[in-house]
Amino acid sequence: MTLTLIALAAIALLALIFGSLLGFAAIRFKVEGDPLVEQIDAVLPQTQCGQCGYPGCKPYAEAIANGDDINKCPPGGEATIKELATLMGVEAKPLDSAHGVESVKKVAFIREDECIGCTKCIQACPVDAILGAAKQMHTIIIDECTGCDLCVDPCPVDCIDMIPVEVDSSQWEWEFNKVPAGNIPVRQVS
Amino acid sequence: MFANYDQIIERLSVNQLWDFPGGVHPPQQKSLSNKSNIEFIPLEPTYYVPVKQHIGVEGKLLVAEGDRILKGQLLTASESPFSVPVHAPTSGIVAKITRHVSAHPSGIPELSVIIDADGQDTWIELKPVPDYAKADKSELIERICDAGISGMGGAGFPTHIKTNNSKPLEFLIINGIECEPYISSDDRLMREHAWQIRQGIDILVHILKPKQVIIAVEDNKPEALETMSIACQQKTNYQVVNVPTKYPAGGEKQLVQVLTSREVPSDGLPIDVGCIMYNVATCYAIADAIVEGKPLIERVVTLTGRGLKSPKNVWARLGTPIQSLLLHGNYDASTQSSPRFIMGGPMMGFTVTSVLTPIVKISNCILVPADNELPHPEDERACIRCSACSDVCPASLLPQQLFWYSKSKELEKAEEYNLFDCIECGACAYVCPSEIPLVHYYRQAKADIRNQREEKEKSDKAKIRFEVRTARLQKEKEAREEKYRLASEARKASMNKDGGNAKDKIAAALARAKAKKEAFAKEAENAQSAENIKKKESVSELSDSFALPKTKLVAVDEDAAAKKERVAAAVAKAKAKKVAADEAKKENKEL
Ligand code: SF4
Ligand code: SF4
Ligand code: SF4
Ligand code: SF4
């Protein structure tokens, strides 16, 4: 009899210990937010252009997590779709042209002597990449601009241009088929 | 464990060195160009000086088109600690500042100062340091930076950064290895200017205070070894060491390992194991800068290969287009079926894209191979897993794995296999029986990874900015709503408190407001009529063209009117443009 009691007590004690351990772990190692949405968001290019039909990349990430198509992001293009496909375990499909086409990377440029200082572009820019105040000339912080195109339409005097980003030699990807000559003599004959 | 200081000194004194893994022995071909003295060449009519010559940041331009400049004058100012300035190679006129083909495998044009020489070659006033032994360390480092000196052996790391060292230093290593085939510029420099190199070393010793100086020369350069030994014989802590010839013994990490048995950690620098290394040409330039006050505007360039009738070494000003160097080397076009010029050596160099490519601080050689001298890297075959490449890799990597992952763009895997430890020496590609241009794949993968990292950084930043902005907008909205709510509550409360009284108050307020409005309207009318009389035409024209509400014109003064007119015109123009664009689009669609 006492033996059964001891056994019961021991098991009860063990259950208590493991229970509290699990409880502690649940609080201590809690995962913040929805990891899937975070993962998807990390793949998206963060251009925040809204071409996907959502007000930014995060909302689109949430939509994908809830089953939306993965081929709606033109700035990300082919590469992003591929990554999303592996992440979500679905088939990669071509970019949905209803949302736009993939193009070269661009940044916005304000022709400053034409700017009237209306602040409309500042309100449109999703990443606060435009610097200026009312009735003052505005300018773009090139390093912050994602090239989302959203500031071009609101400008009443049409003084914002999207110019392609120039590649310099530090970003060059050793593609010899794109330059006239220039292969490396990587092997020598004796 | 690595050898300690005393063990190393002991072994060095009997010239007994260590070894690095792998390595190859390509035919040297140095005797082509190392027979004669370094030649001076006549002035060029035009120089093309790239603003950015080294890794790091470019400086700010100090000259404008049309400026007259003197030899040695600063063309850029270094703004960040990571940039070194460039100087005018001769006196003349700044003809143009524009993008010119770069001394880079891509040939992508980069901002360059194009100088028309006047033939006088007049120096700017030079300011040497009279007695460097009495000079302050930081002053000397500043002088080295101002003279535009960056490493002249390899990647072109700014010299002053290396020199500004605060960690404990045991060995100052002077690299006279020049392990790459064909090149003999350092060889000739050591033979002819050992004394000045020694001066440069003395200056570095004064700044860095090392325990021991090691001057390393490969054993295929006995003459250079001898001259350096003679130049350094009075100094007890200078040791000239004879290093067995093996490619790539001149690599920074490899040479440290050969001389001290110490391995530089994967993402570390030689200073982490108590060493600092300078190239002999850099020492020469340092002596020039401190003792003579001359900035770095020329360097020794080897002109070699069987495509040249008279291979040799020349003093070439920075910015000299290689076209004229080819002339000096008597380029024989009949030896090549199609022109092919290599900047650097056969193992690590690159084929230039244009004969106007300028000489920069790191260009040590122009190699013009005859047709059968170097193969064209076309015939790549499949990897047969022979592992010859991993046997010769000086960094103990697995080149075949790296190749595999680089080619299939599995970049994470490639990184796991320490892609970034690869020094791009080309030893693996040299032995590969399948003729795979392995280094090419590594370079591509590295560039991909770097660009991806950069993009990731940028997108992370954009994400944060977007989130901050969204949060701010949300907060503003809430604040606004809260204000409305409070206001309406206050109104309600006061209404309830003293019912009729409040109503009276409201009525009174309304009456007051009405009165005020009337008065204002009257005034406005007056003002307007006055305005109208004064400049009727302009106002009517204005209101016609952009249909602004009349009341807005009250108190329009002349300046504001003009400005508004401009703005309105611009708006109208833009609108018209947009409408036109839309119509065009529509038409397009209809078509
Ligand atoms: S379309 Fe634009 S907003 Fe949508 S996910 Fe792509 S970059 Fe982000
Ligand atoms: S500046 Fe214009 S293009 Fe650039 S991020 Fe802002 S809104 Fe987009
Ligand atoms: S190029 Fe890189 S992988 Fe090939 S041998 Fe040299 S260090 Fe090793
Ligand atoms: S040497 Fe060439 S063929 Fe042999 S394992 Fe290396 S890459 Fe493959």
PDB file of all heavy atoms in Angstrom, chain A residues 123 125 127-128 153 156 169 171-174 176 183-185 187, chain B residues 106 110 346 349 351 432 440 443-444 448 451 465 469 472 574 578:
ATOM      1  N   GLN A 123       4.756  63.161 -48.509  1.00  0.00           N
ATOM      2  CA  GLN A 123       3.648  62.391 -47.961  1.00  0.00           C
ATOM      3  C   GLN A 123       3.530  61.033 -48.651  1.00  0.00           C
ATOM      4  O   GLN A 123       3.047  60.075 -48.058  1.00  0.00           O
ATOM      5  CB  GLN A 123       2.349  63.172 -48.135  1.00  0.00           C
ATOM      6  CG  GLN A 123       2.296  64.390 -47.243  1.00  0.00           C
ATOM      7  CD  GLN A 123       1.330  65.436 -47.783  1.00  0.00           C
ATOM      8  OE1 GLN A 123       0.327  65.116 -48.400  1.00  0.00           O
ATOM      9  NE2 GLN A 123       1.671  66.703 -47.556  1.00  0.00           N
ATOM     10  N   CYS A 125       6.079  59.195 -49.972  1.00  0.00           N
ATOM     11  CA  CYS A 125       7.229  58.296 -49.847  1.00  0.00           C
ATOM     12  C   CYS A 125       7.083  57.361 -48.654  1.00  0.00           C
ATOM     13  O   CYS A 125       6.954  57.810 -47.521  1.00  0.00           O
ATOM     14  CB  CYS A 125       8.519  59.090 -49.710  1.00  0.00           C
ATOM     15  SG  CYS A 125       9.941  58.009 -49.528  1.00  0.00           S
ATOM     16  N   VAL A 127       9.229  55.404 -47.277  1.00  0.00           N
ATOM     17  CA  VAL A 127      10.390  55.170 -46.413  1.00  0.00           C
ATOM     18  C   VAL A 127      11.064  56.476 -45.981  1.00  0.00           C
ATOM     19  O   VAL A 127      12.205  56.483 -45.551  1.00  0.00           O
ATOM     20  CB  VAL A 127      11.432  54.260 -47.108  1.00  0.00           C
ATOM     21  CG1 VAL A 127      10.903  52.862 -47.239  1.00  0.00           C
ATOM     22  CG2 VAL A 127      11.830  54.809 -48.456  1.00  0.00           C
ATOM     23  N   ASP A 128      10.331  57.579 -46.083  1.00  0.00           N
ATOM     24  CA  ASP A 128      10.867  58.881 -45.666  1.00  0.00           C
ATOM     25  C   ASP A 128      12.214  59.179 -46.322  1.00  0.00           C
ATOM     26  O   ASP A 128      13.151  59.586 -45.659  1.00  0.00           O
ATOM     27  CB  ASP A 128      11.041  58.940 -44.141  1.00  0.00           C
ATOM     28  CG  ASP A 128       9.703  59.041 -43.437  1.00  0.00           C
ATOM     29  OD1 ASP A 128       8.762  59.537 -44.068  1.00  0.00           O
ATOM     30  OD2 ASP A 128       9.609  58.630 -42.264  1.00  0.00           O
ATOM     31  N   ASP A 153       3.918  60.313 -59.319  1.00  0.00           N
ATOM     32  CA  ASP A 153       2.587  60.751 -59.709  1.00  0.00           C
ATOM     33  C   ASP A 153       2.064  61.937 -58.915  1.00  0.00           C
ATOM     34  O   ASP A 153       1.501  62.851 -59.511  1.00  0.00           O
ATOM     35  CB  ASP A 153       1.626  59.565 -59.631  1.00  0.00           C
ATOM     36  CG  ASP A 153       0.974  59.316 -60.963  1.00  0.00           C
ATOM     37  OD1 ASP A 153       1.552  59.800 -61.966  1.00  0.00           O
ATOM     38  OD2 ASP A 153      -0.091  58.676 -61.010  1.00  0.00           O
ATOM     39  N   PRO A 156       2.899  67.751 -58.561  1.00  0.00           N
ATOM     40  CA  PRO A 156       2.069  68.556 -59.453  1.00  0.00           C
ATOM     41  C   PRO A 156       2.845  69.181 -60.610  1.00  0.00           C
ATOM     42  O   PRO A 156       2.251  69.580 -61.593  1.00  0.00           O
ATOM     43  CB  PRO A 156       1.500  69.635 -58.537  1.00  0.00           C
ATOM     44  CG  PRO A 156       2.453  69.711 -57.398  1.00  0.00           C
ATOM     45  CD  PRO A 156       3.050  68.353 -57.241  1.00  0.00           C
ATOM     46  N   SER A 169      32.366  49.420 -60.818  1.00  0.00           N
ATOM     47  CA  SER A 169      33.163  48.194 -60.865  1.00  0.00           C
ATOM     48  C   SER A 169      33.097  47.398 -59.564  1.00  0.00           C
ATOM     49  O   SER A 169      33.354  46.208 -59.552  1.00  0.00           O
ATOM     50  CB  SER A 169      34.606  48.528 -61.207  1.00  0.00           C
ATOM     51  OG  SER A 169      35.073  49.575 -60.406  1.00  0.00           O
ATOM     52  N   GLN A 171      30.452  46.668 -57.951  1.00  0.00           N
ATOM     53  CA  GLN A 171      29.282  45.789 -57.924  1.00  0.00           C
ATOM     54  C   GLN A 171      29.278  44.823 -59.090  1.00  0.00           C
ATOM     55  O   GLN A 171      28.392  44.000 -59.218  1.00  0.00           O
ATOM     56  CB  GLN A 171      27.992  46.624 -58.012  1.00  0.00           C
ATOM     57  CG  GLN A 171      27.758  47.449 -56.789  1.00  0.00           C
ATOM     58  CD  GLN A 171      27.032  48.722 -57.132  1.00  0.00           C
ATOM     59  OE1 GLN A 171      26.882  49.071 -58.288  1.00  0.00           O
ATOM     60  NE2 GLN A 171      26.600  49.423 -56.112  1.00  0.00           N
ATOM     61  N   TRP A 172      30.267  44.945 -59.936  1.00  0.00           N
ATOM     62  CA  TRP A 172      30.295  44.156 -61.155  1.00  0.00           C
ATOM     63  C   TRP A 172      30.347  42.670 -60.845  1.00  0.00           C
ATOM     64  O   TRP A 172      31.007  42.236 -59.908  1.00  0.00           O
ATOM     65  CB  TRP A 172      31.513  44.586 -61.962  1.00  0.00           C
ATOM     66  CG  TRP A 172      31.581  43.969 -63.289  1.00  0.00           C
ATOM     67  CD1 TRP A 172      30.673  44.080 -64.291  1.00  0.00           C
ATOM     68  CD2 TRP A 172      32.644  43.162 -63.786  1.00  0.00           C
ATOM     69  NE1 TRP A 172      31.114  43.391 -65.386  1.00  0.00           N
ATOM     70  CE2 TRP A 172      32.309  42.814 -65.100  1.00  0.00           C
ATOM     71  CE3 TRP A 172      33.835  42.697 -63.259  1.00  0.00           C
ATOM     72  CZ2 TRP A 172      33.125  42.029 -65.885  1.00  0.00           C
ATOM     73  CZ3 TRP A 172      34.641  41.913 -64.031  1.00  0.00           C
ATOM     74  CH2 TRP A 172      34.293  41.587 -65.328  1.00  0.00           C
ATOM     75  N   GLU A 173      29.631  41.885 -61.639  1.00  0.00           N
ATOM     76  CA  GLU A 173      29.533  40.461 -61.306  1.00  0.00           C
ATOM     77  C   GLU A 173      30.319  39.557 -62.244  1.00  0.00           C
ATOM     78  O   GLU A 173      29.962  38.415 -62.453  1.00  0.00           O
ATOM     79  CB  GLU A 173      28.064  40.052 -61.269  1.00  0.00           C
ATOM     80  CG  GLU A 173      27.313  40.813 -60.194  1.00  0.00           C
ATOM     81  CD  GLU A 173      25.967  40.216 -59.876  1.00  0.00           C
ATOM     82  OE1 GLU A 173      25.361  39.624 -60.773  1.00  0.00           O
ATOM     83  OE2 GLU A 173      25.548  40.339 -58.723  1.00  0.00           O
ATOM     84  N   TRP A 174      31.375  40.067 -62.801  1.00  0.00           N
ATOM     85  CA  TRP A 174      32.271  39.252 -63.624  1.00  0.00           C
ATOM     86  C   TRP A 174      31.552  38.555 -64.767  1.00  0.00           C
ATOM     87  O   TRP A 174      31.787  37.388 -65.039  1.00  0.00           O
ATOM     88  CB  TRP A 174      33.006  38.218 -62.764  1.00  0.00           C
ATOM     89  CG  TRP A 174      33.852  38.851 -61.748  1.00  0.00           C
ATOM     90  CD1 TRP A 174      33.473  39.227 -60.504  1.00  0.00           C
ATOM     91  CD2 TRP A 174      35.233  39.226 -61.865  1.00  0.00           C
ATOM     92  NE1 TRP A 174      34.513  39.816 -59.851  1.00  0.00           N
ATOM     93  CE2 TRP A 174      35.611  39.824 -60.663  1.00  0.00           C
ATOM     94  CE3 TRP A 174      36.175  39.117 -62.884  1.00  0.00           C
ATOM     95  CZ2 TRP A 174      36.888  40.312 -60.436  1.00  0.00           C
ATOM     96  CZ3 TRP A 174      37.448  39.595 -62.658  1.00  0.00           C
ATOM     97  CH2 TRP A 174      37.798  40.184 -61.437  1.00  0.00           C
ATOM     98  N   PHE A 176      31.519  38.244 -68.341  1.00  0.00           N
ATOM     99  CA  PHE A 176      32.339  38.657 -69.477  1.00  0.00           C
ATOM    100  C   PHE A 176      31.548  38.702 -70.775  1.00  0.00           C
ATOM    101  O   PHE A 176      31.954  39.332 -71.725  1.00  0.00           O
ATOM    102  CB  PHE A 176      33.537  37.736 -69.626  1.00  0.00           C
ATOM    103  CG  PHE A 176      34.561  38.022 -68.593  1.00  0.00           C
ATOM    104  CD1 PHE A 176      34.873  37.108 -67.621  1.00  0.00           C
ATOM    105  CD2 PHE A 176      35.193  39.258 -68.586  1.00  0.00           C
ATOM    106  CE1 PHE A 176      35.809  37.406 -66.656  1.00  0.00           C
ATOM    107  CE2 PHE A 176      36.135  39.549 -67.624  1.00  0.00           C
ATOM    108  CZ  PHE A 176      36.443  38.616 -66.656  1.00  0.00           C
ATOM    109  N   ASN A 183      38.615  38.632 -70.618  1.00  0.00           N
ATOM    110  CA  ASN A 183      38.662  37.409 -69.835  1.00  0.00           C
ATOM    111  C   ASN A 183      39.998  37.283 -69.101  1.00  0.00           C
ATOM    112  O   ASN A 183      40.969  37.933 -69.449  1.00  0.00           O
ATOM    113  CB  ASN A 183      38.446  36.203 -70.718  1.00  0.00           C
ATOM    114  CG  ASN A 183      37.632  35.167 -69.980  1.00  0.00           C
ATOM    115  OD1 ASN A 183      37.675  35.124 -68.752  1.00  0.00           O
ATOM    116  ND2 ASN A 183      36.907  34.356 -70.692  1.00  0.00           N
ATOM    117  N   ILE A 184      40.014  36.452 -68.090  1.00  0.00           N
ATOM    118  CA  ILE A 184      41.223  36.336 -67.285  1.00  0.00           C
ATOM    119  C   ILE A 184      42.053  35.168 -67.779  1.00  0.00           C
ATOM    120  O   ILE A 184      41.532  34.087 -68.020  1.00  0.00           O
ATOM    121  CB  ILE A 184      40.871  36.054 -65.824  1.00  0.00           C
ATOM    122  CG1 ILE A 184      39.650  36.853 -65.433  1.00  0.00           C
ATOM    123  CG2 ILE A 184      42.031  36.343 -64.930  1.00  0.00           C
ATOM    124  CD1 ILE A 184      39.039  36.329 -64.186  1.00  0.00           C
ATOM    125  N   PRO A 185      43.344  35.354 -67.912  1.00  0.00           N
ATOM    126  CA  PRO A 185      44.207  34.242 -68.314  1.00  0.00           C
ATOM    127  C   PRO A 185      44.476  33.374 -67.098  1.00  0.00           C
ATOM    128  O   PRO A 185      45.535  33.447 -66.489  1.00  0.00           O
ATOM    129  CB  PRO A 185      45.470  34.950 -68.768  1.00  0.00           C
ATOM    130  CG  PRO A 185      45.476  36.217 -67.993  1.00  0.00           C
ATOM    131  CD  PRO A 185      44.078  36.577 -67.670  1.00  0.00           C
ATOM    132  N   ARG A 187      44.968  30.297 -66.727  1.00  0.00           N
ATOM    133  CA  ARG A 187      45.812  29.130 -66.804  1.00  0.00           C
ATOM    134  C   ARG A 187      46.937  29.377 -67.781  1.00  0.00           C
ATOM    135  O   ARG A 187      46.760  29.956 -68.841  1.00  0.00           O
ATOM    136  CB  ARG A 187      44.998  27.937 -67.280  1.00  0.00           C
ATOM    137  CG  ARG A 187      45.590  26.636 -66.831  1.00  0.00           C
ATOM    138  CD  ARG A 187      44.955  25.505 -67.592  1.00  0.00           C
ATOM    139  NE  ARG A 187      46.031  24.793 -68.256  1.00  0.00           N
ATOM    140  CZ  ARG A 187      46.422  23.585 -67.881  1.00  0.00           C
ATOM    141  NH1 ARG A 187      45.837  22.990 -66.897  1.00  0.00           N
ATOM    142  NH2 ARG A 187      47.395  22.999 -68.510  1.00  0.00           N
TER     143      ARG A 187
ATOM    144  N   SER B 106      36.346  44.746 -65.593  1.00  0.00           N
ATOM    145  CA  SER B 106      35.090  45.100 -66.248  1.00  0.00           C
ATOM    146  C   SER B 106      35.277  46.227 -67.247  1.00  0.00           C
ATOM    147  O   SER B 106      34.500  46.368 -68.176  1.00  0.00           O
ATOM    148  CB  SER B 106      34.073  45.544 -65.208  1.00  0.00           C
ATOM    149  OG  SER B 106      34.507  46.745 -64.609  1.00  0.00           O
ATOM    150  N   GLU B 110      35.071  54.971 -65.207  1.00  0.00           N
ATOM    151  CA  GLU B 110      34.990  55.616 -63.909  1.00  0.00           C
ATOM    152  C   GLU B 110      35.531  57.027 -64.006  1.00  0.00           C
ATOM    153  O   GLU B 110      36.329  57.338 -64.898  1.00  0.00           O
ATOM    154  CB  GLU B 110      35.771  54.802 -62.866  1.00  0.00           C
ATOM    155  CG  GLU B 110      34.919  53.654 -62.377  1.00  0.00           C
ATOM    156  CD  GLU B 110      35.580  52.792 -61.328  1.00  0.00           C
ATOM    157  OE1 GLU B 110      36.790  52.956 -61.092  1.00  0.00           O
ATOM    158  OE2 GLU B 110      34.874  51.955 -60.762  1.00  0.00           O
ATOM    159  N   PRO B 346      50.300  36.515 -65.412  1.00  0.00           N
ATOM    160  CA  PRO B 346      49.469  35.503 -66.070  1.00  0.00           C
ATOM    161  C   PRO B 346      48.557  34.756 -65.092  1.00  0.00           C
ATOM    162  O   PRO B 346      47.591  34.136 -65.513  1.00  0.00           O
ATOM    163  CB  PRO B 346      50.502  34.554 -66.666  1.00  0.00           C
ATOM    164  CG  PRO B 346      51.692  34.710 -65.800  1.00  0.00           C
ATOM    165  CD  PRO B 346      51.711  36.129 -65.352  1.00  0.00           C
ATOM    166  N   GLY B 349      46.309  38.380 -63.286  1.00  0.00           N
ATOM    167  CA  GLY B 349      45.977  39.584 -64.048  1.00  0.00           C
ATOM    168  C   GLY B 349      44.644  39.468 -64.752  1.00  0.00           C
ATOM    169  O   GLY B 349      43.910  38.505 -64.585  1.00  0.00           O
ATOM    170  N   THR B 351      42.595  40.656 -68.681  1.00  0.00           N
ATOM    171  CA  THR B 351      42.724  41.218 -70.015  1.00  0.00           C
ATOM    172  C   THR B 351      42.045  42.580 -70.037  1.00  0.00           C
ATOM    173  O   THR B 351      40.901  42.707 -69.602  1.00  0.00           O
ATOM    174  CB  THR B 351      42.052  40.287 -71.034  1.00  0.00           C
ATOM    175  OG1 THR B 351      42.537  38.975 -70.818  1.00  0.00           O
ATOM    176  CG2 THR B 351      42.360  40.702 -72.442  1.00  0.00           C
ATOM    177  N   CYS B 432      44.371  22.406 -63.036  1.00  0.00           N
ATOM    178  CA  CYS B 432      43.158  21.657 -63.378  1.00  0.00           C
ATOM    179  C   CYS B 432      43.278  21.025 -64.765  1.00  0.00           C
ATOM    180  O   CYS B 432      43.441  21.707 -65.761  1.00  0.00           O
ATOM    181  CB  CYS B 432      41.945  22.570 -63.336  1.00  0.00           C
ATOM    182  SG  CYS B 432      40.439  21.745 -63.847  1.00  0.00           S
ATOM    183  N   HIS B 440      37.524  32.312 -61.962  1.00  0.00           N
ATOM    184  CA  HIS B 440      36.434  33.079 -62.530  1.00  0.00           C
ATOM    185  C   HIS B 440      35.126  32.802 -61.789  1.00  0.00           C
ATOM    186  O   HIS B 440      34.384  33.712 -61.431  1.00  0.00           O
ATOM    187  CB  HIS B 440      36.300  32.716 -64.007  1.00  0.00           C
ATOM    188  CG  HIS B 440      35.192  33.428 -64.682  1.00  0.00           C
ATOM    189  ND1 HIS B 440      35.386  34.594 -65.362  1.00  0.00           N
ATOM    190  CD2 HIS B 440      33.875  33.162 -64.757  1.00  0.00           C
ATOM    191  CE1 HIS B 440      34.234  35.006 -65.835  1.00  0.00           C
ATOM    192  NE2 HIS B 440      33.300  34.155 -65.494  1.00  0.00           N
ATOM    193  N   ARG B 443      35.239  34.365 -58.315  1.00  0.00           N
ATOM    194  CA  ARG B 443      35.040  35.812 -58.328  1.00  0.00           C
ATOM    195  C   ARG B 443      33.576  36.153 -58.524  1.00  0.00           C
ATOM    196  O   ARG B 443      33.044  37.051 -57.884  1.00  0.00           O
ATOM    197  CB  ARG B 443      35.877  36.434 -59.443  1.00  0.00           C
ATOM    198  CG  ARG B 443      37.344  36.493 -59.105  1.00  0.00           C
ATOM    199  CD  ARG B 443      38.135  36.919 -60.301  1.00  0.00           C
ATOM    200  NE  ARG B 443      39.500  37.263 -59.930  1.00  0.00           N
ATOM    201  CZ  ARG B 443      40.473  37.429 -60.807  1.00  0.00           C
ATOM    202  NH1 ARG B 443      40.222  37.299 -62.091  1.00  0.00           N
ATOM    203  NH2 ARG B 443      41.683  37.739 -60.423  1.00  0.00           N
ATOM    204  N   GLN B 444      32.936  35.398 -59.438  1.00  0.00           N
ATOM    205  CA  GLN B 444      31.521  35.644 -59.672  1.00  0.00           C
ATOM    206  C   GLN B 444      30.718  35.406 -58.404  1.00  0.00           C
ATOM    207  O   GLN B 444      29.880  36.218 -58.026  1.00  0.00           O
ATOM    208  CB  GLN B 444      31.025  34.708 -60.768  1.00  0.00           C
ATOM    209  CG  GLN B 444      30.630  35.457 -61.998  1.00  0.00           C
ATOM    210  CD  GLN B 444      30.298  34.537 -63.146  1.00  0.00           C
ATOM    211  OE1 GLN B 444      30.362  33.314 -63.035  1.00  0.00           O
ATOM    212  NE2 GLN B 444      29.950  35.139 -64.250  1.00  0.00           N
ATOM    213  N   ASP B 448      28.513  38.055 -56.271  1.00  0.00           N
ATOM    214  CA  ASP B 448      27.099  37.809 -55.997  1.00  0.00           C
ATOM    215  C   ASP B 448      26.806  37.951 -54.518  1.00  0.00           C
ATOM    216  O   ASP B 448      25.844  38.594 -54.118  1.00  0.00           O
ATOM    217  CB  ASP B 448      26.727  36.375 -56.432  1.00  0.00           C
ATOM    218  CG  ASP B 448      26.358  36.307 -57.892  1.00  0.00           C
ATOM    219  OD1 ASP B 448      26.178  37.392 -58.488  1.00  0.00           O
ATOM    220  OD2 ASP B 448      26.255  35.199 -58.438  1.00  0.00           O
ATOM    221  N   ASN B 451      27.001  41.589 -53.369  1.00  0.00           N
ATOM    222  CA  ASN B 451      25.841  42.369 -53.794  1.00  0.00           C
ATOM    223  C   ASN B 451      24.598  41.994 -53.011  1.00  0.00           C
ATOM    224  O   ASN B 451      23.809  42.856 -52.636  1.00  0.00           O
ATOM    225  CB  ASN B 451      25.584  42.184 -55.290  1.00  0.00           C
ATOM    226  CG  ASN B 451      26.603  42.930 -56.113  1.00  0.00           C
ATOM    227  OD1 ASN B 451      27.369  43.722 -55.581  1.00  0.00           O
ATOM    228  ND2 ASN B 451      26.623  42.675 -57.405  1.00  0.00           N
ATOM    229  N   ARG B 465      12.601  51.776 -41.855  1.00  0.00           N
ATOM    230  CA  ARG B 465      12.070  53.113 -42.111  1.00  0.00           C
ATOM    231  C   ARG B 465      10.578  53.064 -42.386  1.00  0.00           C
ATOM    232  O   ARG B 465       9.824  53.928 -41.951  1.00  0.00           O
ATOM    233  CB  ARG B 465      12.801  53.748 -43.298  1.00  0.00           C
ATOM    234  CG  ARG B 465      14.223  54.141 -42.976  1.00  0.00           C
ATOM    235  CD  ARG B 465      14.881  54.720 -44.179  1.00  0.00           C
ATOM    236  NE  ARG B 465      14.607  56.133 -44.349  1.00  0.00           N
ATOM    237  CZ  ARG B 465      15.317  57.092 -43.808  1.00  0.00           C
ATOM    238  NH1 ARG B 465      16.346  56.800 -43.060  1.00  0.00           N
ATOM    239  NH2 ARG B 465      15.012  58.341 -43.996  1.00  0.00           N
ATOM    240  N   ARG B 469       7.723  54.754 -40.062  1.00  0.00           N
ATOM    241  CA  ARG B 469       6.810  55.720 -40.647  1.00  0.00           C
ATOM    242  C   ARG B 469       5.364  55.307 -40.402  1.00  0.00           C
ATOM    243  O   ARG B 469       4.526  56.128 -40.015  1.00  0.00           O
ATOM    244  CB  ARG B 469       7.073  55.831 -42.148  1.00  0.00           C
ATOM    245  CG  ARG B 469       6.197  56.840 -42.831  1.00  0.00           C
ATOM    246  CD  ARG B 469       6.401  56.780 -44.331  1.00  0.00           C
ATOM    247  NE  ARG B 469       5.192  57.168 -45.023  1.00  0.00           N
ATOM    248  CZ  ARG B 469       4.955  58.404 -45.431  1.00  0.00           C
ATOM    249  NH1 ARG B 469       5.842  59.341 -45.223  1.00  0.00           N
ATOM    250  NH2 ARG B 469       3.836  58.703 -46.040  1.00  0.00           N
ATOM    251  N   ARG B 472       4.429  56.039 -36.974  1.00  0.00           N
ATOM    252  CA  ARG B 472       4.279  57.469 -36.728  1.00  0.00           C
ATOM    253  C   ARG B 472       2.921  57.949 -37.243  1.00  0.00           C
ATOM    254  O   ARG B 472       2.197  58.653 -36.552  1.00  0.00           O
ATOM    255  CB  ARG B 472       5.404  58.221 -37.422  1.00  0.00           C
ATOM    256  CG  ARG B 472       5.521  59.659 -36.960  1.00  0.00           C
ATOM    257  CD  ARG B 472       6.508  60.428 -37.804  1.00  0.00           C
ATOM    258  NE  ARG B 472       6.049  60.572 -39.166  1.00  0.00           N
ATOM    259  CZ  ARG B 472       6.824  60.420 -40.235  1.00  0.00           C
ATOM    260  NH1 ARG B 472       8.080  60.111 -40.100  1.00  0.00           N
ATOM    261  NH2 ARG B 472       6.326  60.572 -41.435  1.00  0.00           N
ATOM    262  N   ALA B 574       2.186  70.598 -66.265  1.00  0.00           N
ATOM    263  CA  ALA B 574       2.293  69.205 -65.857  1.00  0.00           C
ATOM    264  C   ALA B 574       0.993  68.480 -66.117  1.00  0.00           C
ATOM    265  O   ALA B 574       0.963  67.359 -66.595  1.00  0.00           O
ATOM    266  CB  ALA B 574       2.656  69.127 -64.385  1.00  0.00           C
ATOM    267  N   LYS B 578       0.324  65.301 -68.368  1.00  0.00           N
ATOM    268  CA  LYS B 578      -0.245  64.055 -67.873  1.00  0.00           C
ATOM    269  C   LYS B 578      -1.418  63.638 -68.731  1.00  0.00           C
ATOM    270  O   LYS B 578      -1.568  62.474 -69.098  1.00  0.00           O
ATOM    271  CB  LYS B 578      -0.703  64.237 -66.423  1.00  0.00           C
ATOM    272  CG  LYS B 578       0.314  63.671 -65.460  1.00  0.00           C
ATOM    273  CD  LYS B 578      -0.140  63.765 -64.048  1.00  0.00           C
ATOM    274  CE  LYS B 578       1.088  63.775 -63.161  1.00  0.00           C
ATOM    275  NZ  LYS B 578       0.806  64.213 -61.817  1.00  0.00           N
TER     276      LYS B 578
END
